[in-house]
Amino acid sequence: NAGVTQTPKFQVLKTGQSMTLQCAQDMNHNSMYWYRQDPGMGLRLIYYSASEGTTDKGEVPDGYNVSRLKKQNFLLGLESAAPSQTSVYFCASSRTGLRDGANVLTFGAGSRLTVL
Amino acid sequence: EDKVVQSPLSLVVHEGDTVTLNCSYEVTNFRSLLWYKQEKKAPTFLFMLTSSGIEKKSGRLSSILDKKELFSILNITATQTGDSAIYLCAVEAFIIIQGAQKLVFGQGTRLTINP
């Protein structure tokens, strides 16, 4: 009963370094999402993917890139990390997707990223 | 701009108390409102509300939506220490131009239940 799995759980980077957060889901969900959670800010959508091979920007996409080459995987990349990207990142997936109506997300456990 | 505001941001009560968490929203083309519970890790789904006045219940938790006044409440009766968590409210809005929906989250309410 894996659900949504994120790796790594913790990461410390120096300013300017690059890294990729990985997300995998085993529920055959069509849509996948990346959110970031900062104190007092709630969850903010970075990017989403309504289906394999398609991606769209969310509220806060600057400084990030994504890749959805396989239905079960959604990767979030930071090309040149900045301290403002220190946050907790959540991957989520859903069956119906953003275009199809009511949308219940299943979340991963989160990845805590610190950029020094 | 679409906005979801939760109150209070933080609440500390004693075990056995009843609590009410609030969520107000301003979104264009509302479709549904969702409540999530977030303990140490991933948010987990509690309720989805689409119609006014219909209470959703799950054990000691219940929630209701008022689409006229644009708010929802989440009630927890006979609270237990295991209810300590961040409670997130999210509203699904339809984006006419793009023909898609988006979820807008509130800041969350951090609830602490003391024994």
Side-chain angles (χ1 to χ4, degrees):
Chain A
N1 235 13
V4 178
T5 304
Q6 292 180 230
T7 55
K9 289 185 169 45
F10 301 94
Q11 183 73 50
V12 179
L13 291 176
K14 293 182 180 177
T15 297
Q17 287 185 316
S18 63
M19 77 157 300
T20 299
L21 296 176
Q22 304 195 18
C23 178
Q25 53 95 3
D26 62 1
M27 296 171 286
N28 201 33
H29 281 172
N30 289 322
S31 297
M32 298 186 73
Y33 314 84
W34 276 106
Y35 285 88
R36 60 178 288 175
Q37 186 175 34
D38 302 294
M41 301 288 286
L43 285 164
R44 293 183 292 169
L45 182 64
I46 305 171
Y47 270 95
Y48 68 96
S49 169
S51 62
E52 177 183 339
T54 67
T55 61
D56 283 289
K57 294 179 180 179
E59 300 171 69
V60 288
D62 293 342
Y64 304 96
N65 57 74
V66 289
S67 170
R68 181 99 183 268
L69 297 179
K70 293 183 180 179
K71 186 175 185 178
Q72 64 268 34
N73 299 121
F74 195 28
L75 308 181
L76 178 70
L78 286 73
E79 289 185 346
S80 179
S84 61
Q85 294 177 303
T86 294
S87 188
V88 179
Y89 292 84
F90 286 97
C91 177
S93 69
S94 71
R95 179 174 53 82
T96 55
L98 281 178
R99 291 182 180 271
D100 296 333
N103 184 15
V104 178
L105 303 179
T106 300
F107 285 89
S111 299
R112 184 175 293 276
L113 174 66
T114 302
V115 183
L116 302 175
Chain B
E1 184 181 333
D2 296 329
K3 188 166 62 174
V4 177
V5 177
Q6 292 185 244
S7 64
L9 295 181
S10 180
L11 184 60
V12 181
V13 300
H14 290 293
E15 202 167 22
D17 288 350
T18 293
V19 297
T20 298
L21 309 183
N22 304 293
C23 176
S24 64
Y25 61 91
E26 295 177 26
V27 298
T28 307
N29 301 306
F30 171 91
R31 291 184 67 89
S32 69
L33 185 144
L34 301 96
W35 284 97
Y36 286 85
K37 177 182 181 182
Q38 184 179 21
E39 297 176 84
K40 292 182 180 177
K41 295 183 178 179
T44 54
F45 172 75
L46 293 175
F47 298 112
M48 183 173 70
L49 303 154
T50 56
S51 301
S52 280
I54 298 175
E55 186 182 51
K56 292 281 184 89
K57 289 197 75 170
S58 177
R60 296 174 293 101
L61 278 67
S62 63
S63 183
I64 198 161
L65 173 67
D66 185 328
K67 291 169 73 174
K68 183 179 177 184
E69 300 297 330
L70 307 183
F71 77 91
S72 174
I73 60 172
L74 175 67
N75 280 322
I76 309 175
T77 59
T79 52
Q80 302 171 358
T81 54
D83 295 326
S84 294
I86 296 173
Y87 289 84
L88 296 166
C89 173
V91 173
E92 184 187 11
F94 183 73
I95 309 168
I96 292 177
I97 295 173
Q98 298 174 6
Q101 288 81 34
K102 66 173 182 178
L103 276 181
V104 181
F105 280 84
Q107 320 95 302
T109 293
R110 181 179 295 274
L111 176 64
T112 303
I113 311 295
N114 288 328

